[in-house]
Amino acid sequence: MTKTGFNLAALQFNEQDFQDAGPIAVNELRDSDIAVIGISCKIAESENAAQFWDLLRAGQDAIRPFPARRKRELESLFQAGLLNEQTALNEGGFLEEIDKFDYPFFQLSPAEARLMDPNQRLFLESAWAAVEDAGYGGKKLSGSRTGVYVGYSSDFGEEYKRFIAEMAPSSASSAIPGNIHSMIASRIAYLLDLKGPSLLVDTACSSSLVAIHLACRDLRHGDCDTAIAGGVKVTLVPIKEGRGERAGAGCRLLG
């Protein structure tokens, strides 16, 4: 074995060495631009970003009373004793056909789809739509260094797994994968064979904002080349319990 000797004197630096090094890399990372190339959303009475934009332009308030026809859909919860027929229900921004899901497209069985948390289903659909909107549909992102960053808070509202445990206890074990919160991010990463970070962020009301912040940070640091970032929150039964409410208040900016 040949031993290599080191001359410590050769490791000395002078002022010219630092001047030749050029600008500090941190500044390059901080000043680099990030392009938003695809977008998708389902918010209140909007099925896509274009419809939501139209609502904003018109100054329309999409908050409305709990739809009367949906009260019939709560019948099974009444019968199971999970909800009282006299329970007061909140106003809210309601999505249409939240129970519809193209499970064959996402390579899932009907049973898996029924046991999957609607939050997981909704993000899966929206993430796919954003990828297609960006022009990267199909397998174009397969094997790429694409990260998935999801903001989601489970501290408010009922959880789907509780309804399953109460109404279909024999299916509780089969429902585990579809109701693990971290799977909201991991499901789309697995389906598209993405090789970047995959994580779920819970910082209450700021979860989505922090998820986007982390995605931007990782893009700048080179931890991924592309990122899918956003948030999801579906309140399964908008029970009026006074949590986080204020008289005469709708949605307000954090200030």
Side-chain angles (χ1 to χ4, degrees), residues 185-197:
S186 301
R187 179 83 66 173
I188 188 70
Y190 173 79
L191 185 66
L192 294 177
D193 189 28
L194 307 179
K195 304 302 183 182

Side-chain angles (χ1 to χ4, degrees), residues 75-103:
E75 185 63 32
S76 58
L77 298 182
F78 296 149
Q79 295 177 355
L82 296 176
L83 199 63
N84 190 297
E85 292 190 45
Q86 305 305 315
T87 301
L89 299 172
N90 268 327
E91 294 184 336
F94 299 102
L95 297 173
E96 297 297 331
E97 299 185 334
I98 192 64
D99 57 323
K100 301 296 190 296
F101 181 60
D102 189 2
Y103 61 86

